[in-house]
Amino acid sequence: MKRRIAILISGRGSNMLALARNCGGGLLNAEVFFVACDNPEAPGLADAEKLGLKTHLLPYAALGKYKAEEHLDRLISDSRAEWLILAGFMRVLSPGFVLRRRGRIVNIHPSLLPAFPGKDSIRRAFDHGVMVTGVTVHLVDEQVDHGKILAQEPVRIFPGEPIEDLEERIHQAEQILYTRTLIHLLDPSR
Ligand code: GAR
């Protein structure tokens, strides 16, 4: 049976689109019940609509975090989504919200955690001069970009490489790793 997932985004939505396409194509044994976003300007929101996905704007700006999370709680229970997939969602979920769904919220982050959590991770790794960075998929706990690591993919930084090229390679690695990890997490028999 298909797993019921909901995806949270804040911006471009490239990971969300890759996951949605892989659900549609059958690679992921899951169905996207909705895409929710905290940012009305997010390009990913419009792209999700174009794909025919159900979308919701979370009222963080108008009502604050706790009301926005209540709204999200209702969306999840109404849709009976089993898994919450964070794909570039740049808000920290409250401990109570995470506790209610511990082990059922997954995040992707563009570094080899625990290195470079938080924002601008690719640039901070690049500026730091590390030679290898990468991508992490992990379960979400109460801390930022923290929780049980499910999978990691290293990405080398080549000498003299422009940051734009590195970003592109990291985003490609993310899309492959997220789907590959979720295939097994959502359906351990596969
Ligand atoms: C991705 O690189 C994702 O790993 C990162 O935001 C980007 C969203 O891109 N997430 C974090 O930094 C979480 N701390 P996308 O909107 O194109 O998927």
Side-chain angles (χ1 to χ4, degrees):
M1 210 173 51
K2 286 194 177 187
R3 312 316 306 200
R4 306 169 72 91
I5 69 173
I7 305 180
L8 300 190
I9 63 169
S10 293
R12 190 173 61 153
S14 66
N15 283 289
M16 173 275 297
L17 289 173
L19 292 175
R21 289 200 179 101
N22 288 334
C23 287
L27 189 57
L28 253 174
N29 188 24
E31 184 169 345
V32 181
F33 274 74
F34 65 85
V35 173
C37 181
D38 60 326
N39 167 16
E41 311 293 328
L45 199 56
D47 287 342
E49 275 163 23
K50 275 186 220 147
L51 262 191
L53 298 171
K54 201 172 280 176
T55 60
H56 300 280
L57 185 63
L58 298 172
Y60 275 89
L63 302 178
K65 176 178 183 149
Y66 292 99
K67 290 280 176 203
E69 287 185 355
E70 275 178 21
H71 188 94
L72 180 56
D73 266 328
R74 272 197 303 280
L75 293 174
I76 292 169
S77 47
D78 289 353
S79 66
R80 292 186 293 117
E82 302 163 288
W83 291 88
L84 196 54
I85 310 298
L86 311 191
F89 184 63
M90 303 311 271
R91 301 269 182 177
V92 180
L93 295 166
S94 67
F97 184 95
V98 171
L99 208 63
R100 289 196 290 284
R101 315 203 150 67
R102 189 182 272 290
R104 292 273 163 166
I105 311 177
V106 190
N107 184 40
I108 189 158
H109 185 75
S111 75
L112 292 177
L113 292 172
F116 305 109
K119 291 186 178 160
D120 293 327
S121 307
I122 301 176
R123 170 160 295 280
R124 285 187 291 122
F126 184 85
D127 289 347
H128 196 88
V130 301
M131 294 176 182
V132 181
T133 182
V135 176
T136 303
V137 177
H138 65 97
L139 293 178
V140 170
D141 68 12
E142 293 80 0
Q143 298 175 51
V144 175
D145 297 322
H146 191 270
K148 183 182 181 212
I149 290 175
L150 300 172
Q152 291 189 305
E153 182 70 28
V155 175
R156 274 195 66 84
I157 301 181
F158 299 122
E161 177 180 35
I163 188 163
E164 294 76 18
D165 292 9
L166 174 66
E167 283 169 344
E168 182 55 35
R169 290 193 300 112
I170 286 184
H171 292 313
Q172 283 171 9
E174 285 189 318
Q175 293 174 23
I176 295 167
L177 189 71
Y178 219 177
T179 291
R180 197 193 299 150
T181 308
L182 290 177
I183 285 173
H184 298 293
L185 184 70
L186 272 48
D187 190 353
S189 64
R190 285 177 78 188

